[in-house]
Amino acid sequence: MASCETEEALNKSIHHDVEKPAEDPVNSDPNTSDLPFYVCEFVEKEIGNDFKSLLKVSSLIEKIAEEKRHLEEQVLTVSSEAPKRIQAALNNAQNTQSTLCALLKREATVSESITNHLEDATSWMDDLGALTDQIYEVERHLSYLKWISHIEELSDNIQQHLMTNNVAEAASALVSMTEQAIKLQDSSCFHLLKFITSTVQFWHKILKDKLTSDFEEVLSQLHWPFIGPHQPLSPVSSSAPASVTEIYASLETLFTQLLKLQISDELISKPKQMPEKYSLPSSPPIILPIQIMLSPLQKRFRYHFTGNRQTNVLSKPEWYLTQVLMWMGNHTKFLNEKIQPILKSAGSNVNAKMEFTRGLVMLVLEKLSVDISCLLYDDVLFCHLVDEVLLFQRELHTTHGYLSSLPNCMHILSEDTFFQRWLTVERKLALEKMDSMLSSEAAWSSQYKDISDVDEMKFPDCAETFMTLLLVITDRYKNLPTAEKKLKFLELQKDLVDDFRIRLTQVMKEESRALLGFKYCAILNAVNYIATVLGDWADNIFFLQLQQVALEVCTDTNSSSKLQLGQLASMEISVFDDMINLLERLKNDMLSRLVEHVFKEVKEGAKMYKKERWLSLPSQSEQAVMSLSSSACPMLLTLRDRLLQLEQQLCHTLFKSVWQMLAEKLDLFIYQDVILANHFNEGGAAQLQFDMSRNLFPLFSHYCKRPENYFKHVKEACIILNLSVGSALLLKDVLQSAAQYMDKTATNDKVPTATAALNELGVYKLAPQDVEILFNLRTNWPNTGK
């Protein structure tokens, strides 16, 4: 039916195309025209307004008819295939439904069968479960008995080895027992664990006592411990008939056997621990043979430095600290030469000297933790204790190679209460030291003034003492275990620098009436020296590490701006930058005052020079020899004296800044107040140039190769004033032409011409307008009638 309708519509369209003449498709409205709009477009495209094109109609009809047949075939094919597919789908659905029903019936049958089987097997499962539980219980009991049997077997082995005096095998059996005990540490069998632990403890005590007794006897034959520095290592012949070789062999044997007991010793022993508030780093227990070797020294230490002994004095911590260092030194050779090879042969990575030192340090820590609490409120004794502890720490690390990662005295000093007290005392004593150094008679003099190589910066004694104080503080806290504590001390140093800067500012204000005095210049040198040293410290690896920590702290607390955080992270600024900026500001302020003071003196000496009769001076040809203007002598003498005085009193960098600033001021002063304020004849211009180039400029030739470059205004003004009349007229015409051209065009196209003309004469600083003004100051122009 659909194909018939399509054919009818198509025939109708073709009939209209043939019967009716073609119309303009532009004027065809799809809403009002009889023909569909797309038909009109098709006719317009294929035929158009050319009637001769009607010959194409037959071919178009054939083409359209062919397309019609093709479409009809497609429609018929789809119409015939659709029912087949639908029927196939229905058949599949019916088959699937049948299969599903069969599966459901089978599932119901199987389910019923399983249910019946489970009901029948329930009684069997109950009986089987009871039997399985009994088996598990028997297996647990059997395993329990096996553990007991194994432990008893090991215990019997130890006993038999001891009866045959085979201590080495007994120790090996004890190690095996200890390893089994370690495996049972997480077991819920409390009684079994207690049994094996008590058995290990029992045999460990027996073996330890026996080996310790023998080991101590060998050590006594070797005069252990070595109390004096020249203690002989050979045995006493009367009490030890055996040879030295045999004794050292026994030492090695006993040491190795004791080393085997280490694992059991760690299992059953709970070593004495320092309170958690000291935050000591974790470290393994000291190996058993070293513990035995330390025992007599520990007894001596506690005997002399605890209780009411005369050697136990709170004000003398150096006594026990020095004693411990002496013991370390006395035993170093023996430990390195005799004990370390034994440890190496036993396959141990323990360092004998480090282990021995660690044991003695723990004695010091126990003593220090008790004494420091008694000295918290006595500034003098507390400070003395800290000083001695820091000296002990330095000796410990430098001489004995003690590792910073091991427990040490700095962990005791880092405890919050002790650390805060240390910080307070450090600040107080530093301020007192600053008062003392500034009130000293030699505070502003340099102890290196007679040594030119050393005294290059000419820093006063108070500045050197202050920086030494800061350096000492750095050395005191640089080995603190935590970076946060180091930052606290860094803040203290920055506060001290700021306090010292304020004190210097106060003294500077008191000396402001004598700016050229020795003390004022000494203060300036001090400020420059401190800023320079702090700048050098900023590149030190220690302070760079602190800067990284400070960055992390600032990031966590958001206490700084994003700009500051970025600058810290990129190393654009340092931890001392705030202090350095304040010091630089003070230095620049003092330099400005000093230069202004000298400049006023020079200006005062130039009063007569400003009033010189530059209009009536004789020309150079009229003088036999040119000489300095008498009116310039006071100015130049003052300038010379002040430069010499400041060169002696200021360091090189500061003096360089002073004379350059002074030269800049003088350049503008002479240019504005002397040159621009007067008129010059030929003789006056020549005299001015002579005074400047032969007298003023050479005063600065000691400090640079071309001093005239610092007086560009004056030098170039002298060039213009001393130009020959012809050259001056030519230059004047060039400048006027350039100025007129600029007025007309309002562009800068002619400026390079005027600039090039000035550059040829050596004039770079002055602008063409300035040169015009200088030309107007000349009186030696020819009378041209203009």
Side-chain angles (χ1 to χ4, degrees), residues 250-529:
S250 300
L251 176 71
E252 180 176 0
T253 302
L254 293 169
F255 192 97
T256 305
Q257 292 172 354
L258 283 168
L259 198 59
K260 290 183 178 179
L261 300 184
Q262 181 65 31
I263 184 172
S264 57
D265 191 69
E266 293 178 7
L267 176 66
I268 63 177
S269 302
K270 292 184 179 179
K272 185 177 180 181
Q273 298 289 340
M274 297 287 290
E276 291 183 1
K277 66 178 182 178
Y278 297 124
S279 301
L280 295 181
S282 59
S283 57
I286 297 172
I287 59 175
L288 186 56
I290 298 294
Q291 290 183 31
I292 298 171
M293 296 173 73
L294 284 168
S295 180
L297 294 176
Q298 292 171 342
K299 292 177 181 178
R300 287 174 179 270
F301 186 89
R302 294 189 174 97
Y303 176 83
H304 289 292
F305 303 115
T306 57
N308 298 323
R309 300 289 185 273
Q310 293 181 353
T311 49
N312 183 30
V313 183
L314 286 175
S315 60
K316 297 293 182 181
E318 61 269 26
W319 286 359
Y320 68 84
L321 295 174
T322 304
Q323 182 63 71
V324 168
L325 291 174
M326 287 177 60
W327 287 342
M328 292 177 188
N330 293 340
H331 297 87
T332 296
K333 184 177 181 181
F334 180 82
L335 291 167
N336 289 335
E337 294 181 358
K338 303 300 180 182
I339 303 301
Q340 191 61 47
I342 301 175
L343 287 167
K344 185 176 181 181
S345 299
S348 174
N349 295 325
V350 175
N351 184 297
K353 169 69 185 304
M354 192 64 63
E355 198 77 353
F356 183 79
T357 304
R358 185 158 65 97
L360 292 177
V361 168
M362 292 307 296
L363 279 176
V364 173
L365 297 187
E366 293 174 10
K367 171 69 174 171
L368 178 61
S369 63
V370 174
D371 286 2
I372 195 171
S373 303
C374 303
L375 302 176
L376 273 179
Y377 303 103
D378 190 320
D379 290 350
V380 176
L381 293 181
F382 183 85
C383 186
H384 177 64
L385 174 64
V386 171
D387 290 340
E388 292 298 330
V389 167
L390 294 175
L391 289 174
F392 173 78
Q393 279 292 123
R394 181 181 303 174
E395 185 73 13
L396 200 61
H397 291 294
T398 57
T399 303
H400 301 285
Y402 193 73
L403 301 178
S404 301
S405 57
L406 296 175
N408 58 69
C409 298
M410 300 307 290
H411 293 96
I412 304 296
L413 294 180
S414 297
E415 194 274 328
D416 291 340
T417 304
F418 304 151
F419 179 79
Q420 192 58 45
R421 185 59 180 162
W422 180 17
L423 205 61
T424 303
V425 172
E426 200 78 41
R427 184 188 302 274
K428 177 182 177 182
L429 294 179
L431 293 175
E432 291 177 356
K433 184 69 175 177
M434 288 165 57
D435 291 336
S436 175
M437 69 178 72
L438 289 174
S439 61
S440 171
E441 295 181 0
W444 306 108
S445 61
S446 174
Q447 57 179 321
Y448 307 110
K449 59 184 178 181
D450 298 329
I451 310 175
S452 58
D453 293 340
V454 179
D455 197 35
E456 182 180 351
M457 299 195 71
K458 297 182 179 179
F459 47 83
D461 188 62
C462 64
E464 183 189 20
T465 306
F466 176 70
M467 295 312 294
T468 303
L469 172 65
L470 292 184
L471 185 61
V472 169
I473 292 176
T474 301
D475 289 337
R476 290 161 71 86
Y477 78 82
K478 70 188 304 181
N479 290 321
L480 282 169
T482 61
E484 289 75 11
K485 294 290 193 296
K486 294 177 184 177
L487 285 178
K488 295 288 186 182
F489 264 97
L490 178 62
E491 290 300 320
L492 168 62
Q493 288 179 304
K494 293 168 68 174
D495 291 344
L496 293 177
V497 172
D498 194 49
D499 189 271
F500 195 72
R501 178 189 62 83
I502 293 172
R503 292 170 188 245
L504 291 178
T505 305
Q506 293 172 346
V507 179
M508 180 269 291
K509 290 180 179 179
E510 295 174 359
E511 298 295 324
S512 58
R513 296 181 181 179
L515 296 179
L516 295 173
F518 170 74
K519 186 179 289 189
Y520 187 89
C521 292
I523 296 171
L524 189 51
N525 286 330
V527 173
N528 179 68
Y529 171 69

Side-chain angles (χ1 to χ4, degrees), residues 520 524 584-600 602 639 643 646 650 652-669 700 703-704 707 710-711:
Y520 187 89
L524 189 51
E584 288 291 335
R585 189 182 304 172
L586 175 60
K587 181 183 77 173
N588 294 332
D589 179 58
M590 294 182 70
L591 282 174
S592 300
R593 293 189 184 195
L594 185 60
V595 171
E596 189 63 34
H597 178 77
V598 175
F599 180 63
K600 285 182 180 179
V602 175
L639 180 60
L643 287 175
L646 292 175
L650 294 176
H652 175 72
T653 55
L654 289 177
F655 177 68
K656 182 179 180 181
S657 300
V658 167
W659 73 255
Q660 289 180 354
M661 293 168 65
L662 191 57
E664 182 181 357
K665 286 180 148 315
L666 278 174
D667 181 41
L668 291 175
F669 166 70
F700 294 87
Y703 319 123
C704 63
Y710 292 91
F711 294 88

Side-chain angles (χ1 to χ4, degrees), residues 691-693 695-701 707-708 711 714-715:
D691 292 344
M692 298 296 104
S693 62
N695 293 278
L696 175 61
F697 298 166
L699 285 178
F700 294 87
S701 62
E708 62 273 12
F711 294 88
V714 173
K715 180 185 75 171

Side-chain angles (χ1 to χ4, degrees), residues 620-686:
Q620 186 174 0
S621 60
E622 297 175 2
Q623 302 182 53
V625 178
M626 291 205 62
S627 60
L628 175 65
S629 300
S630 59
S631 58
C633 289
M635 175 184 71
L636 296 179
L637 286 173
T638 302
L639 180 60
R640 182 201 65 182
D641 294 342
R642 292 301 176 239
L643 287 175
L644 290 174
Q645 181 181 358
L646 292 175
E647 185 180 16
Q648 293 175 354
Q649 293 181 349
L650 294 176
C651 70
H652 175 72
T653 55
L654 289 177
F655 177 68
K656 182 179 180 181
S657 300
V658 167
W659 73 255
Q660 289 180 354
M661 293 168 65
L662 191 57
E664 182 181 357
K665 286 180 148 315
L666 278 174
D667 181 41
L668 291 175
F669 166 70
I670 295 174
Y671 177 70
Q672 294 174 354
D673 290 27
V674 176
I675 297 175
L676 296 182
N678 290 282
H679 288 76
F680 297 85
N681 65 356
E682 182 181 352

Side-chain angles (χ1 to χ4, degrees), residues 71-122:
L71 291 173
E72 287 176 347
E73 290 176 358
Q74 289 182 344
V75 170
L76 291 173
T77 301
V78 171
S79 301
S80 61
E81 288 182 355
K84 294 180 181 179
R85 292 180 181 178
I86 294 172
Q87 186 62 38
L90 289 173
N91 293 335
N92 288 336
Q94 290 174 355
N95 294 335
T96 303
Q97 183 177 11
S98 301
T99 303
L100 179 62
C101 291
L103 287 175
L104 289 174
K105 291 179 180 179
R106 185 178 177 186
E107 185 272 338
T109 303
V110 172
S111 177
E112 183 180 0
S113 175
I114 291 172
T115 303
N116 295 333
H117 178 74
L118 289 176
E119 290 177 355
D120 295 339
T122 300

